[in-house]
Amino acid sequence: MNYRVSHALTRLPLMAELTLLVGTQMPLAWRAGAVQVLHAPSWVSFFGHLALFAGMAIRPLVSPVARIVLGALALALLTEGLQLLAIDRHPRWLDVCIDMAGALAGVGLIKLGFLCFVRR
């Protein structure tokens, strides 16, 4: 995968994460209503966060891993911290851990792919 493709792929989860930042300001009743309209089970949010942060881990192709992990941590803390400003929303350390698990899983998958497919 070349630089342009990997850079383009990293923009998609970042745009989704910006949408998530806006979504953190939704009051809990609005969020529950949106989930109910979509008929989504409660675990969809868990896997959504996991997938978004794993998708952002494609960036080790163009950035150092430490920068990616610190960026993911900053974004996870920001999204949870913004919930302090929303009506009926509360930040949880568990959500930060879920986000970081997704980021680390994505970095691990990319590194594993490099190990498996690198030409020696």
Side-chain angles (χ1 to χ4, degrees):
M1 187 178 309
N2 66 18
Y3 175 81
R4 286 184 181 175
V5 173
S6 65
H7 195 65
L9 286 175
T10 58
R11 291 182 184 191
L12 295 174
L14 289 175
M15 289 189 305
E17 194 60 37
L18 288 175
T19 305
L20 186 70
L21 283 173
V22 172
T24 59
Q25 296 304 303
M26 289 174 58
L28 191 57
W30 291 7
R31 183 176 180 266
V35 169
Q36 190 175 22
V37 167
L38 295 173
H39 303 289
S42 61
W43 51 266
V44 169
S45 176
F46 168 80
F47 284 110
H49 279 259
L50 203 66
L52 279 173
F53 277 83
M56 288 188 309
I58 294 171
R59 294 199 52 92
L61 295 174
V62 296
S63 299
V65 173
R67 180 190 274 177
I68 300 307
V69 172
L70 288 175
L73 179 61
L75 197 52
L77 291 172
L78 178 64
T79 56
E80 289 303 309
L82 284 174
Q83 290 183 17
L84 289 170
L85 304 174
I87 299 170
D88 296 331
R89 299 287 301 269
H90 305 286
R92 297 185 316 166
W93 285 110
L94 178 63
D95 291 339
V96 173
C97 292
I98 291 168
D99 295 343
M100 291 309 297
L104 293 174
V107 168
L109 287 174
I110 293 297
K111 292 298 182 182
L112 182 65
F114 280 138
L115 290 175
C116 291
F117 298 109
V118 70
R119 294 181 184 164
R120 296 179 193 244

Short mmCIF file of all heavy atoms in Angstrom, two decimals, residues 13-14 16-21 24 31 43-58 65 67-83 89-108:
data_model
loop_
_atom_site.label_atom_id
_atom_site.label_comp_id
_atom_site.label_asym_id
_atom_site.label_seq_id
_atom_site.Cartn_x
_atom_site.Cartn_y
_atom_site.Cartn_z
N PRO A 13 -11.84 7.28 8.90
CA PRO A 13 -12.15 7.16 10.34
C PRO A 13 -12.03 8.48 11.08
O PRO A 13 -12.76 8.72 12.03
CB PRO A 13 -11.13 6.16 10.86
CG PRO A 13 -10.58 5.48 9.68
CD PRO A 13 -10.75 6.40 8.52
N LEU A 14 -11.13 9.36 10.64
CA LEU A 14 -10.99 10.64 11.31
C LEU A 14 -12.23 11.50 11.09
O LEU A 14 -12.69 12.19 12.01
CB LEU A 14 -9.74 11.37 10.83
CG LEU A 14 -8.42 10.77 11.30
CD1 LEU A 14 -7.25 11.49 10.66
CD2 LEU A 14 -8.32 10.81 12.81
N ALA A 16 -15.20 10.27 10.61
CA ALA A 16 -16.20 9.62 11.46
C ALA A 16 -16.00 10.01 12.92
O ALA A 16 -16.96 10.20 13.66
CB ALA A 16 -16.14 8.11 11.27
N GLU A 17 -14.74 10.13 13.33
CA GLU A 17 -14.46 10.50 14.71
C GLU A 17 -14.87 11.94 14.98
O GLU A 17 -15.33 12.26 16.08
CB GLU A 17 -12.98 10.30 15.03
CG GLU A 17 -12.65 10.34 16.48
CD GLU A 17 -13.37 9.28 17.28
OE1 GLU A 17 -13.55 8.15 16.82
OE2 GLU A 17 -13.75 9.59 18.43
N LEU A 18 -14.73 12.82 14.01
CA LEU A 18 -15.22 14.19 14.18
C LEU A 18 -16.73 14.20 14.35
O LEU A 18 -17.27 14.96 15.14
CB LEU A 18 -14.79 15.06 13.00
CG LEU A 18 -13.32 15.40 12.94
CD1 LEU A 18 -13.00 16.16 11.66
CD2 LEU A 18 -12.90 16.20 14.15
N THR A 19 -17.41 13.34 13.61
CA THR A 19 -18.85 13.20 13.77
C THR A 19 -19.16 12.68 15.17
O THR A 19 -20.12 13.10 15.81
CB THR A 19 -19.41 12.23 12.71
OG1 THR A 19 -19.04 12.70 11.42
CG2 THR A 19 -20.91 12.12 12.80
N LEU A 20 -18.32 11.77 15.66
CA LEU A 20 -18.49 11.24 17.01
C LEU A 20 -18.31 12.34 18.05
O LEU A 20 -19.02 12.38 19.05
CB LEU A 20 -17.50 10.11 17.24
CG LEU A 20 -17.62 9.35 18.55
CD1 LEU A 20 -18.89 8.53 18.54
CD2 LEU A 20 -16.43 8.46 18.74
N LEU A 21 -17.36 13.25 17.81
CA LEU A 21 -17.16 14.37 18.72
C LEU A 21 -18.43 15.22 18.82
O LEU A 21 -18.82 15.65 19.90
CB LEU A 21 -15.99 15.24 18.27
CG LEU A 21 -14.60 14.71 18.54
CD1 LEU A 21 -13.56 15.60 17.87
CD2 LEU A 21 -14.34 14.61 20.02
N THR A 24 -21.10 13.40 20.84
CA THR A 24 -20.95 13.34 22.30
C THR A 24 -21.72 14.45 22.98
O THR A 24 -22.00 14.38 24.17
CB THR A 24 -19.48 13.43 22.73
OG1 THR A 24 -18.92 14.66 22.27
CG2 THR A 24 -18.68 12.26 22.24
N ARG A 31 -29.80 10.57 22.11
CA ARG A 31 -28.98 9.43 21.68
C ARG A 31 -29.77 8.13 21.79
O ARG A 31 -29.74 7.30 20.89
CB ARG A 31 -27.72 9.35 22.54
CG ARG A 31 -26.77 8.26 22.13
CD ARG A 31 -25.50 8.32 22.98
NE ARG A 31 -24.59 7.29 22.59
CZ ARG A 31 -24.51 6.10 23.17
NH1 ARG A 31 -25.32 5.80 24.16
NH2 ARG A 31 -23.65 5.21 22.75
N TRP A 43 -24.69 -3.25 22.03
CA TRP A 43 -23.28 -3.53 21.78
C TRP A 43 -22.77 -2.89 20.49
O TRP A 43 -21.58 -2.92 20.21
CB TRP A 43 -23.03 -5.03 21.76
CG TRP A 43 -23.95 -5.80 20.87
CD1 TRP A 43 -25.11 -6.42 21.22
CD2 TRP A 43 -23.79 -6.04 19.47
NE1 TRP A 43 -25.68 -7.02 20.13
CE2 TRP A 43 -24.89 -6.80 19.04
CE3 TRP A 43 -22.83 -5.66 18.53
CZ2 TRP A 43 -25.07 -7.19 17.72
CZ3 TRP A 43 -23.01 -6.06 17.21
CH2 TRP A 43 -24.11 -6.80 16.83
N VAL A 44 -23.65 -2.30 19.69
CA VAL A 44 -23.21 -1.67 18.43
C VAL A 44 -22.28 -0.50 18.72
O VAL A 44 -21.29 -0.29 18.02
CB VAL A 44 -24.43 -1.24 17.59
CG1 VAL A 44 -24.02 -0.36 16.43
CG2 VAL A 44 -25.18 -2.46 17.10
N SER A 45 -22.56 0.27 19.75
CA SER A 45 -21.71 1.40 20.11
C SER A 45 -20.31 0.92 20.49
O SER A 45 -19.31 1.53 20.13
CB SER A 45 -22.34 2.18 21.26
OG SER A 45 -21.48 3.21 21.68
N PHE A 46 -20.25 -0.18 21.23
CA PHE A 46 -18.97 -0.77 21.64
C PHE A 46 -18.12 -1.11 20.41
O PHE A 46 -16.97 -0.70 20.29
CB PHE A 46 -19.22 -2.02 22.48
CG PHE A 46 -18.01 -2.86 22.72
CD1 PHE A 46 -17.09 -2.52 23.68
CD2 PHE A 46 -17.78 -4.00 21.96
CE1 PHE A 46 -15.96 -3.30 23.90
CE2 PHE A 46 -16.68 -4.79 22.17
CZ PHE A 46 -15.77 -4.43 23.14
N PHE A 47 -18.70 -1.85 19.46
CA PHE A 47 -17.95 -2.24 18.28
C PHE A 47 -17.70 -1.07 17.34
O PHE A 47 -16.72 -1.06 16.60
CB PHE A 47 -18.64 -3.39 17.55
CG PHE A 47 -18.45 -4.71 18.23
CD1 PHE A 47 -19.49 -5.33 18.88
CD2 PHE A 47 -17.20 -5.31 18.26
CE1 PHE A 47 -19.31 -6.54 19.52
CE2 PHE A 47 -16.99 -6.51 18.91
CZ PHE A 47 -18.06 -7.13 19.54
N GLY A 48 -18.58 -0.08 17.38
CA GLY A 48 -18.36 1.12 16.57
C GLY A 48 -17.11 1.87 17.02
O GLY A 48 -16.28 2.27 16.19
N HIS A 49 -16.98 2.06 18.32
CA HIS A 49 -15.78 2.72 18.85
C HIS A 49 -14.53 1.89 18.56
O HIS A 49 -13.50 2.42 18.16
CB HIS A 49 -15.92 2.93 20.36
CG HIS A 49 -16.72 4.12 20.74
ND1 HIS A 49 -16.17 5.30 21.13
CD2 HIS A 49 -18.06 4.31 20.75
CE1 HIS A 49 -17.12 6.16 21.39
NE2 HIS A 49 -18.28 5.59 21.18
N LEU A 50 -14.64 0.60 18.77
CA LEU A 50 -13.51 -0.29 18.53
C LEU A 50 -13.07 -0.21 17.06
O LEU A 50 -11.87 -0.08 16.76
CB LEU A 50 -13.91 -1.72 18.89
CG LEU A 50 -12.83 -2.72 19.23
CD1 LEU A 50 -12.14 -2.32 20.51
CD2 LEU A 50 -13.42 -4.10 19.36
N ALA A 51 -14.02 -0.24 16.14
CA ALA A 51 -13.70 -0.20 14.71
C ALA A 51 -13.14 1.16 14.28
O ALA A 51 -12.21 1.22 13.47
CB ALA A 51 -14.94 -0.54 13.89
N LEU A 52 -13.70 2.24 14.82
CA LEU A 52 -13.20 3.57 14.46
C LEU A 52 -11.74 3.75 14.86
O LEU A 52 -10.91 4.22 14.08
CB LEU A 52 -14.04 4.66 15.12
CG LEU A 52 -15.34 5.01 14.44
CD1 LEU A 52 -16.13 5.98 15.31
CD2 LEU A 52 -15.09 5.62 13.08
N PHE A 53 -11.43 3.36 16.07
CA PHE A 53 -10.06 3.53 16.54
C PHE A 53 -9.11 2.53 15.89
O PHE A 53 -7.94 2.85 15.65
CB PHE A 53 -10.01 3.47 18.07
CG PHE A 53 -10.36 4.78 18.71
CD1 PHE A 53 -11.68 5.15 18.90
CD2 PHE A 53 -9.38 5.66 19.10
CE1 PHE A 53 -12.01 6.36 19.47
CE2 PHE A 53 -9.69 6.88 19.67
CZ PHE A 53 -11.02 7.24 19.86
N ALA A 54 -9.59 1.35 15.56
CA ALA A 54 -8.75 0.40 14.82
C ALA A 54 -8.49 0.93 13.41
O ALA A 54 -7.39 0.78 12.88
CB ALA A 54 -9.42 -0.97 14.77
N GLY A 55 -9.50 1.54 12.81
CA GLY A 55 -9.32 2.12 11.48
C GLY A 55 -8.31 3.25 11.46
O GLY A 55 -7.58 3.42 10.49
N MET A 56 -8.25 4.00 12.53
CA MET A 56 -7.26 5.08 12.59
C MET A 56 -5.85 4.54 12.72
O MET A 56 -4.88 5.24 12.47
CB MET A 56 -7.56 6.01 13.77
CG MET A 56 -8.78 6.85 13.54
SD MET A 56 -9.05 8.12 14.78
CE MET A 56 -8.95 7.22 16.29
N ALA A 57 -5.71 3.28 13.09
CA ALA A 57 -4.38 2.69 13.26
C ALA A 57 -3.71 2.37 11.94
O ALA A 57 -2.56 1.93 11.93
CB ALA A 57 -4.49 1.43 14.11
N ILE A 58 -4.35 2.60 10.84
CA ILE A 58 -3.71 2.43 9.54
C ILE A 58 -2.56 3.42 9.41
O ILE A 58 -1.62 3.20 8.69
CB ILE A 58 -4.73 2.63 8.40
CG1 ILE A 58 -5.76 1.51 8.45
CG2 ILE A 58 -4.06 2.65 7.04
CD1 ILE A 58 -6.93 1.73 7.53
N VAL A 65 4.40 4.79 15.45
CA VAL A 65 3.38 4.14 16.27
C VAL A 65 3.10 4.94 17.54
O VAL A 65 1.94 5.08 17.94
CB VAL A 65 3.81 2.69 16.61
CG1 VAL A 65 2.86 2.05 17.60
CG2 VAL A 65 3.89 1.86 15.35
N ARG A 67 3.18 8.09 18.04
CA ARG A 67 2.34 9.24 17.70
C ARG A 67 0.89 8.81 17.54
O ARG A 67 -0.04 9.50 17.97
CB ARG A 67 2.82 9.92 16.43
CG ARG A 67 1.98 11.12 16.06
CD ARG A 67 2.31 11.61 14.69
NE ARG A 67 3.43 12.53 14.74
CZ ARG A 67 3.96 13.08 13.66
NH1 ARG A 67 3.53 12.76 12.46
NH2 ARG A 67 4.94 13.92 13.76
N ILE A 68 0.67 7.65 16.92
CA ILE A 68 -0.68 7.15 16.71
C ILE A 68 -1.34 6.81 18.04
O ILE A 68 -2.49 7.16 18.29
CB ILE A 68 -0.67 5.91 15.80
CG1 ILE A 68 -0.08 6.25 14.44
CG2 ILE A 68 -2.06 5.34 15.63
CD1 ILE A 68 -0.71 7.43 13.78
N VAL A 69 -0.61 6.13 18.92
CA VAL A 69 -1.17 5.73 20.21
C VAL A 69 -1.48 6.97 21.06
O VAL A 69 -2.55 7.05 21.68
CB VAL A 69 -0.22 4.76 20.93
CG1 VAL A 69 -0.68 4.49 22.35
CG2 VAL A 69 -0.11 3.46 20.15
N LEU A 70 -0.58 7.93 21.09
CA LEU A 70 -0.83 9.15 21.86
C LEU A 70 -1.98 9.95 21.27
O LEU A 70 -2.79 10.52 22.00
CB LEU A 70 0.44 10.00 21.94
CG LEU A 70 1.54 9.45 22.83
CD1 LEU A 70 2.79 10.33 22.74
CD2 LEU A 70 1.06 9.36 24.26
N GLY A 71 -2.07 9.99 19.94
CA GLY A 71 -3.19 10.68 19.30
C GLY A 71 -4.52 10.01 19.61
O GLY A 71 -5.52 10.68 19.86
N ALA A 72 -4.52 8.69 19.59
CA ALA A 72 -5.74 7.95 19.91
C ALA A 72 -6.14 8.18 21.37
O ALA A 72 -7.32 8.36 21.68
CB ALA A 72 -5.55 6.46 19.64
N LEU A 73 -5.16 8.21 22.26
CA LEU A 73 -5.45 8.46 23.67
C LEU A 73 -6.02 9.87 23.86
O LEU A 73 -6.99 10.06 24.59
CB LEU A 73 -4.19 8.27 24.51
CG LEU A 73 -4.35 8.53 26.01
CD1 LEU A 73 -5.37 7.59 26.63
CD2 LEU A 73 -3.00 8.40 26.71
N ALA A 74 -5.42 10.83 23.20
CA ALA A 74 -5.91 12.21 23.31
C ALA A 74 -7.34 12.32 22.79
O ALA A 74 -8.18 12.98 23.40
CB ALA A 74 -4.98 13.16 22.54
N LEU A 75 -7.62 11.67 21.67
CA LEU A 75 -8.96 11.71 21.09
C LEU A 75 -9.96 10.99 21.98
O LEU A 75 -11.09 11.45 22.17
CB LEU A 75 -8.94 11.11 19.69
CG LEU A 75 -10.11 11.41 18.79
CD1 LEU A 75 -10.39 12.89 18.69
CD2 LEU A 75 -9.86 10.84 17.42
N ALA A 76 -9.57 9.86 22.55
CA ALA A 76 -10.46 9.12 23.45
C ALA A 76 -10.78 9.95 24.69
O ALA A 76 -11.93 10.01 25.12
CB ALA A 76 -9.82 7.79 23.83
N LEU A 77 -9.76 10.58 25.25
CA LEU A 77 -9.99 11.42 26.43
C LEU A 77 -10.83 12.65 26.09
O LEU A 77 -11.69 13.07 26.88
CB LEU A 77 -8.66 11.85 27.04
CG LEU A 77 -7.84 10.74 27.70
CD1 LEU A 77 -6.46 11.25 28.10
CD2 LEU A 77 -8.58 10.18 28.91
N LEU A 78 -10.63 13.20 24.90
CA LEU A 78 -11.42 14.36 24.48
C LEU A 78 -12.89 14.00 24.30
O LEU A 78 -13.77 14.72 24.77
CB LEU A 78 -10.85 14.94 23.18
CG LEU A 78 -11.59 16.13 22.60
CD1 LEU A 78 -11.50 17.33 23.55
CD2 LEU A 78 -11.03 16.49 21.24
N THR A 79 -13.15 12.88 23.62
CA THR A 79 -14.55 12.50 23.41
C THR A 79 -15.25 12.20 24.73
O THR A 79 -16.43 12.53 24.89
CB THR A 79 -14.67 11.28 22.47
OG1 THR A 79 -13.92 10.19 22.99
CG2 THR A 79 -14.20 11.62 21.07
N GLU A 80 -14.54 11.60 25.66
CA GLU A 80 -15.16 11.33 26.95
C GLU A 80 -15.27 12.60 27.78
O GLU A 80 -16.27 12.81 28.46
CB GLU A 80 -14.37 10.27 27.71
CG GLU A 80 -14.50 8.89 27.13
CD GLU A 80 -15.93 8.41 27.03
OE1 GLU A 80 -16.68 8.48 28.04
OE2 GLU A 80 -16.32 7.98 25.93
N GLY A 81 -14.27 13.46 27.72
CA GLY A 81 -14.32 14.71 28.48
C GLY A 81 -15.42 15.64 28.00
O GLY A 81 -16.03 16.36 28.81
N LEU A 82 -15.70 15.64 26.71
CA LEU A 82 -16.78 16.48 26.19
C LEU A 82 -18.15 16.06 26.72
O LEU A 82 -19.08 16.86 26.72
CB LEU A 82 -16.78 16.46 24.67
CG LEU A 82 -15.70 17.28 23.99
CD1 LEU A 82 -15.72 17.06 22.49
CD2 LEU A 82 -15.87 18.75 24.31
N GLN A 83 -18.26 14.84 27.17
CA GLN A 83 -19.54 14.39 27.71
C GLN A 83 -19.88 15.10 29.02
O GLN A 83 -21.05 15.12 29.44
CB GLN A 83 -19.54 12.88 27.90
CG GLN A 83 -19.57 12.15 26.58
CD GLN A 83 -19.65 10.66 26.75
OE1 GLN A 83 -20.01 10.16 27.82
NE2 GLN A 83 -19.34 9.93 25.70
N ARG A 89 -25.15 13.12 30.14
CA ARG A 89 -24.08 12.22 29.66
C ARG A 89 -22.97 12.23 30.69
O ARG A 89 -22.70 13.24 31.34
CB ARG A 89 -23.53 12.69 28.30
CG ARG A 89 -24.50 12.74 27.16
CD ARG A 89 -24.89 11.37 26.63
NE ARG A 89 -23.80 10.57 26.15
CZ ARG A 89 -23.35 10.55 24.90
NH1 ARG A 89 -23.89 11.31 23.99
NH2 ARG A 89 -22.36 9.76 24.58
N HIS A 90 -22.29 11.10 30.81
CA HIS A 90 -21.22 10.97 31.79
C HIS A 90 -20.05 10.23 31.15
O HIS A 90 -20.23 9.21 30.51
CB HIS A 90 -21.71 10.21 33.02
CG HIS A 90 -22.93 10.81 33.62
ND1 HIS A 90 -22.90 11.97 34.36
CD2 HIS A 90 -24.23 10.43 33.58
CE1 HIS A 90 -24.12 12.27 34.75
NE2 HIS A 90 -24.94 11.36 34.29
N PRO A 91 -18.83 10.75 31.34
CA PRO A 91 -17.65 10.05 30.81
C PRO A 91 -17.38 8.78 31.60
O PRO A 91 -17.69 8.70 32.79
CB PRO A 91 -16.52 11.07 30.97
CG PRO A 91 -16.98 11.97 32.06
CD PRO A 91 -18.47 12.00 32.00
N ARG A 92 -16.83 7.79 30.90
CA ARG A 92 -16.49 6.53 31.56
C ARG A 92 -15.09 6.11 31.13
O ARG A 92 -14.72 6.21 29.97
CB ARG A 92 -17.46 5.41 31.17
CG ARG A 92 -18.87 5.66 31.59
CD ARG A 92 -19.79 4.49 31.29
NE ARG A 92 -19.55 3.93 29.96
CZ ARG A 92 -20.02 2.77 29.57
NH1 ARG A 92 -20.74 2.02 30.38
NH2 ARG A 92 -19.78 2.32 28.35
N TRP A 93 -14.31 5.63 32.10
CA TRP A 93 -12.97 5.14 31.79
C TRP A 93 -13.05 3.90 30.91
O TRP A 93 -12.14 3.65 30.11
CB TRP A 93 -12.20 4.83 33.08
CG TRP A 93 -11.73 6.08 33.78
CD1 TRP A 93 -12.20 6.58 34.95
CD2 TRP A 93 -10.74 6.99 33.33
NE1 TRP A 93 -11.55 7.74 35.26
CE2 TRP A 93 -10.63 8.02 34.28
CE3 TRP A 93 -9.91 7.05 32.20
CZ2 TRP A 93 -9.75 9.08 34.14
CZ3 TRP A 93 -9.02 8.10 32.07
CH2 TRP A 93 -8.95 9.10 33.04
N LEU A 94 -14.12 3.14 31.04
CA LEU A 94 -14.29 1.94 30.22
C LEU A 94 -14.31 2.30 28.74
O LEU A 94 -13.73 1.60 27.91
CB LEU A 94 -15.56 1.20 30.62
CG LEU A 94 -15.89 -0.05 29.80
CD1 LEU A 94 -14.80 -1.11 29.98
CD2 LEU A 94 -17.25 -0.59 30.18
N ASP A 95 -14.96 3.41 28.40
CA ASP A 95 -15.01 3.82 27.00
C ASP A 95 -13.64 4.22 26.47
O ASP A 95 -13.30 3.96 25.32
CB ASP A 95 -16.00 4.97 26.82
CG ASP A 95 -17.44 4.53 27.02
OD1 ASP A 95 -17.72 3.32 26.90
OD2 ASP A 95 -18.29 5.40 27.29
N VAL A 96 -12.84 4.86 27.32
CA VAL A 96 -11.46 5.19 26.92
C VAL A 96 -10.68 3.91 26.68
O VAL A 96 -9.93 3.80 25.70
CB VAL A 96 -10.78 6.07 28.00
CG1 VAL A 96 -9.31 6.28 27.66
CG2 VAL A 96 -11.48 7.41 28.11
N CYS A 97 -10.87 2.93 27.54
CA CYS A 97 -10.17 1.63 27.38
C CYS A 97 -10.62 0.93 26.10
O CYS A 97 -9.79 0.33 25.40
CB CYS A 97 -10.42 0.74 28.59
SG CYS A 97 -9.65 1.36 30.10
N ILE A 98 -11.90 0.99 25.77
CA ILE A 98 -12.40 0.38 24.54
C ILE A 98 -11.77 1.06 23.33
O ILE A 98 -11.33 0.39 22.39
CB ILE A 98 -13.94 0.47 24.49
CG1 ILE A 98 -14.56 -0.45 25.53
CG2 ILE A 98 -14.45 0.12 23.09
CD1 ILE A 98 -16.05 -0.22 25.74
N ASP A 99 -11.72 2.39 23.35
CA ASP A 99 -11.10 3.12 22.24
C ASP A 99 -9.63 2.77 22.08
O ASP A 99 -9.14 2.53 20.97
CB ASP A 99 -11.25 4.63 22.46
CG ASP A 99 -12.69 5.10 22.42
OD1 ASP A 99 -13.55 4.34 21.91
OD2 ASP A 99 -12.96 6.21 22.90
N MET A 100 -8.92 2.69 23.19
CA MET A 100 -7.50 2.35 23.12
C MET A 100 -7.27 0.91 22.69
O MET A 100 -6.32 0.61 21.99
CB MET A 100 -6.83 2.63 24.47
CG MET A 100 -6.74 4.10 24.82
SD MET A 100 -6.02 5.10 23.51
CE MET A 100 -4.38 4.42 23.43
N ALA A 101 -8.16 0.01 23.11
CA ALA A 101 -8.05 -1.38 22.67
C ALA A 101 -8.22 -1.46 21.16
O ALA A 101 -7.50 -2.22 20.49
CB ALA A 101 -9.10 -2.25 23.37
N GLY A 102 -9.13 -0.69 20.61
CA GLY A 102 -9.29 -0.67 19.16
C GLY A 102 -8.06 -0.13 18.45
O GLY A 102 -7.61 -0.69 17.46
N ALA A 103 -7.49 0.95 18.98
CA ALA A 103 -6.29 1.52 18.37
C ALA A 103 -5.12 0.55 18.44
O ALA A 103 -4.40 0.36 17.45
CB ALA A 103 -5.93 2.84 19.06
N LEU A 104 -4.94 -0.07 19.59
CA LEU A 104 -3.83 -1.03 19.73
C LEU A 104 -4.04 -2.27 18.87
O LEU A 104 -3.08 -2.82 18.31
CB LEU A 104 -3.64 -1.40 21.19
CG LEU A 104 -3.15 -0.27 22.09
CD1 LEU A 104 -3.13 -0.71 23.54
CD2 LEU A 104 -1.78 0.22 21.66
N ALA A 105 -5.29 -2.71 18.74
CA ALA A 105 -5.57 -3.85 17.87
C ALA A 105 -5.28 -3.51 16.42
O ALA A 105 -4.70 -4.32 15.68
CB ALA A 105 -7.02 -4.28 18.03
N GLY A 106 -5.64 -2.30 16.01
CA GLY A 106 -5.34 -1.88 14.64
C GLY A 106 -3.85 -1.79 14.37
O GLY A 106 -3.37 -2.25 13.33
N VAL A 107 -3.10 -1.21 15.31
CA VAL A 107 -1.65 -1.13 15.16
C VAL A 107 -1.06 -2.53 15.11
O VAL A 107 -0.19 -2.83 14.29
CB VAL A 107 -1.03 -0.30 16.32
CG1 VAL A 107 0.48 -0.46 16.35
CG2 VAL A 107 -1.39 1.15 16.19
N GLY A 108 -1.55 -3.41 15.98
CA GLY A 108 -1.06 -4.79 15.99
C GLY A 108 -1.33 -5.51 14.69
O GLY A 108 -0.46 -6.24 14.18
#
